[in-house]
Amino acid sequence: MGKMLRRAAVSTVALVAATTAVVGTGGAQASASTVIALGNTYSAGVYSAPNAGSAKVGVPDLHPGDSVAVNCWTAGGSVGNFGNVWYHAFQEIYGGASYQQVGGWVFAPYVDGAAAFHNNWIPKCP
């Protein structure tokens, strides 16, 4: 089983790397990207703008065990006392296998506690 999980992880990383090289991100292009697995606490919607009041982009919400490929962050609408940092998503990975390549915005504290932002793993969106 360990080999199967490693193969799935390697396949997911290769898929995202290939997608990063090929897929443009519209107006939110940046030079770095990272894949983030959602923690065990929150689910995250994928929105058309960095604000929870905007429309969702039409892909399923991300839940613990899913991952999202992001390439930059921006300040957007605040959610409760969690702040206002949003990541630009360009790929959603469900259960480590199926994926969608739909651009949108995910609320950083619900994805990884905004760790990619705080640790400078991705740049600010232009």
Side-chain angles (χ1 to χ4, degrees):
M1 183 163 169
K3 282 185 177 180
M4 186 167 56
L5 290 176
R6 276 195 298 274
R7 274 191 226 142
V10 169
S11 296
T12 300
V13 170
L15 174 67
V16 171
T19 302
T20 302
V22 174
V23 174
T25 56
Q29 291 184 352
S31 61
S33 64
T34 190
V35 176
I36 303 170
L38 268 68
N40 293 323
T41 306
Y42 299 102
S43 294
V46 184
Y47 294 87
S48 59
N51 189 310
S54 66
K56 291 186 178 180
V57 298
V59 296
D61 287 352
L62 296 156
H63 301 288
D66 296 335
S67 300
V68 62
V70 300
N71 59 358
C72 63
W73 65 269
T74 194
S78 295
V79 176
N81 293 326
F82 291 100
N84 66 348
V85 176
W86 291 75
Y87 297 147
H88 179 259
F90 63 91
Q91 185 177 66
E92 301 78 26
I93 305 155
Y94 298 96
S98 63
Y99 67 95
Q100 299 279 332
Q101 290 180 241
V102 177
W105 297 91
V106 291
F107 187 60
Y110 285 8
V111 173
D112 66 347
F117 162 75
H118 289 294
N119 293 312
N120 296 313
W121 294 336
I122 56 174
K124 183 173 183 184
C125 298

